[in-house]
Amino acid sequence: MIQVGIVAFSEKGGRLALRLVAALRERGFAPQGYLSGRHQAEGLEAFTSLSSLTARLFTEKDLLLFIGACGIAVRAIAPYIKSKMKDPGVAVADECGRYVISLLSGHVGGANDFTMLTAGLLGAEPVITTATDRNGMFAVDSWAASQHLRIMEPATIVAISSRLLAGKAVGVCSDIPITGPLPRGLVWQDGEAEETGLRAGIVISYDAEGAHSRFPIACPLVPMDLVVGMGCRKGTEAKALRLFLCRVLEENGLQLRRVGRLCSIRAKEGEAGLVQLARALGVAFDTWTAGELMQAEGSFVSSAFVQSQMGVDNVCERSAALGSGGGRRLVAKQRENGMTLAVYQREIKPVFRAP
């Protein structure tokens, strides 16, 4: 579930925040509104230090919206910006709800799409300034994020986008099937790069290291096809969960970079260790109720103890099964120090669409 933080500074902005919280919740997001302590509004969490709040939200939320002046938002987020691959998507709306501006991490972080959605909910005008969007060009980072493909070398994004904006061709090759027409500027690579004359290209493959043998300038994208279901004792630290996950993956010949989703039971929705692990891996953390988990199809390792505690006989396998859309089980339930995990594989079907 996508975590959204909405920060307002005035009574008028608070009313707008409450409106957006309700609208986003109806659309399956997990929004939380915040309002300056100088004002109070039921349903919004009061804050006194914008800096402290922003520091916390940068680690907890996938998307942030500031309702107020751009300058306030810029100064608030500046100390916490790391990279486009790690930062949450950040947008700004004026308190009258007339404009919504994509401010940070427009593609990978989803700020551009969030801006369009929020503007639609408010009847506002969206403001998108990224060059590829303004010129109607394909954006590899935005496309990769939407297709569950991990960008292994973020620095190559600029090289790919620059060539497209300059009217130069960029090659594409993939080890998994891709459907849809190629966007303007992209061409399929048939044969060696030296033969086609293509200097730069996008490579979709599990072998990220081999991408540079295909193009002098290569942007490797790895399918994030592994879905991990996890359960744990309350208070289990993210470090322990990560070490457990890495060990199990290594023992089964699986790559951590292929993990694209972390799943569990709804009772663990706010479990700090799991939330932090998902954030560190750059993946979604999704949960289901015990009743929903019991509806998962397949055979699962049953536990009477788990049934008595959680209301479902198995958390890790059932949540991974749901999260993978009924995919293939690669690793059955594993246990260690109060932690459990299972790994399923979902089908990744990249689709090209014209920007």
Side-chain angles (χ1 to χ4, degrees), residues 293-294 296-302 313-314 317-319 321 329 344:
L293 291 178
M294 287 300 295
E297 297 183 359
S299 59
F300 307 102
V301 177
S302 181
D313 63 348
N314 183 302
E317 289 182 341
R318 287 182 177 276
S319 63
R329 182 166 61 196
Y344 278 61

Side-chain angles (χ1 to χ4, degrees), residues 79-100:
Y80 311 108
I81 296 174
K82 294 180 180 178
S83 75
K84 66 164 59 185
M85 304 306 297
K86 296 182 178 180
D87 298 331
V90 180
V92 180
D94 66 285
E95 65 175 25
C96 294
R98 295 175 182 170
Y99 300 96
V100 183

Side-chain angles (χ1 to χ4, degrees), residues 4 46 60 92 101 116 152 160 215 221 225 238 243 249 277 281 289 299 314 321 345 351:
V4 182
E60 295 178 353
V92 180
I101 305 168
M116 297 297 294
M152 297 306 300
I160 297 298
F215 298 100
L221 307 178
D225 62 339
L243 288 173
L249 291 176
L277 176 61
L281 296 176
T289 65
S299 59
N314 183 302
Q345 183 180 33
V351 178

Side-chain angles (χ1 to χ4, degrees), residues 29-74:
F29 291 79
Q32 174 62 55
Y34 305 86
L35 181 62
S36 171
R38 295 191 300 270
H39 310 283
Q40 290 186 348
E42 186 176 352
L44 298 178
E45 181 180 319
F47 68 89
T48 55
S49 169
L50 178 59
S51 177
S52 298
L53 175 66
T54 305
R56 175 162 63 91
L57 297 185
F58 249 60
T59 63
E60 295 178 353
K61 306 300 182 183
D62 302 301
L63 296 164
L64 297 180
L65 175 70
F66 290 88
I67 301 178
C70 273
I72 296 175
V74 169

Side-chain angles (χ1 to χ4, degrees), residues 81-319:
I81 296 174
K82 294 180 180 178
S83 75
K84 66 164 59 185
M85 304 306 297
K86 296 182 178 180
D87 298 331
V90 180
V92 180
D94 66 285
E95 65 175 25
C96 294
R98 295 175 182 170
Y99 300 96
V100 183
I101 305 168
S102 179
L103 190 63
L104 180 72
S105 199
H107 290 155
V108 178
N112 286 359
D113 290 340
F114 182 56
T115 293
M116 297 297 294
L117 171 63
T118 303
L121 294 174
L122 296 177
E125 182 176 345
V127 180
I128 309 292
T129 60
T130 41
T132 48
D133 295 272
R134 299 314 305 165
N135 287 279
M137 299 299 296
F138 172 77
V140 62
D141 46 356
S142 180
W143 181 75
S146 70
Q147 302 301 312
H148 310 296
L149 300 170
R150 188 180 297 280
I151 301 170
M152 297 306 300
E153 299 180 21
T156 61
I157 295 172
V158 174
I160 297 298
S161 296
S162 296
R163 293 185 73 84
L164 290 172
L165 289 168
K168 298 178 181 179
V170 169
V172 178
C173 60
S174 177
D175 294 340
I176 62 176
I178 298 180
T179 58
L182 283 180
R184 177 163 53 101
L186 300 186
V187 294
W188 288 112
Q189 176 196 330
D190 294 317
E192 297 298 322
E194 291 79 2
E195 299 173 4
T196 63
L198 294 170
R199 290 286 302 163
I202 300 165
V203 181
I204 298 95
S205 173
Y206 293 108
D207 179 20
E209 290 74 16
H212 293 280
S213 67
R214 306 197 189 188
F215 298 100
I217 302 173
C219 179
L221 307 178
V222 172
M224 299 166 66
D225 62 339
L226 301 184
V227 177
V228 177
M230 295 195 83
C232 66
R233 291 197 189 104
K234 185 176 181 180
T236 303
E237 295 185 354
K239 181 179 179 180
L241 291 165
R242 185 182 182 114
L243 288 173
F244 178 39
L245 172 60
C246 288
R247 179 182 63 76
V248 171
L249 291 176
E250 184 177 1
E251 289 175 350
N252 289 273
L254 301 171
Q255 302 166 327
L256 182 65
R257 62 195 181 194
R258 287 174 56 186
V259 174
R261 199 176 191 188
L262 185 65
C263 304
S264 193
I265 192 169
R266 185 63 48 80
K268 294 295 181 181
E269 185 175 34
E271 186 68 42
L274 291 171
V275 172
Q276 291 168 13
L277 176 61
R279 185 72 180 168
L281 296 176
V283 303
F285 177 46
D286 295 303
T287 61
W288 289 268
T289 65
E292 290 169 333
L293 291 178
M294 287 300 295
Q295 297 303 310
E297 297 183 359
S299 59
F300 307 102
V301 177
S302 181
S303 167
F305 176 75
V306 174
Q307 177 76 53
S308 67
Q309 296 296 308
M310 309 303 296
V312 59
D313 63 348
N314 183 302
V315 169
C316 62
E317 289 182 341
R318 287 182 177 276
S319 63

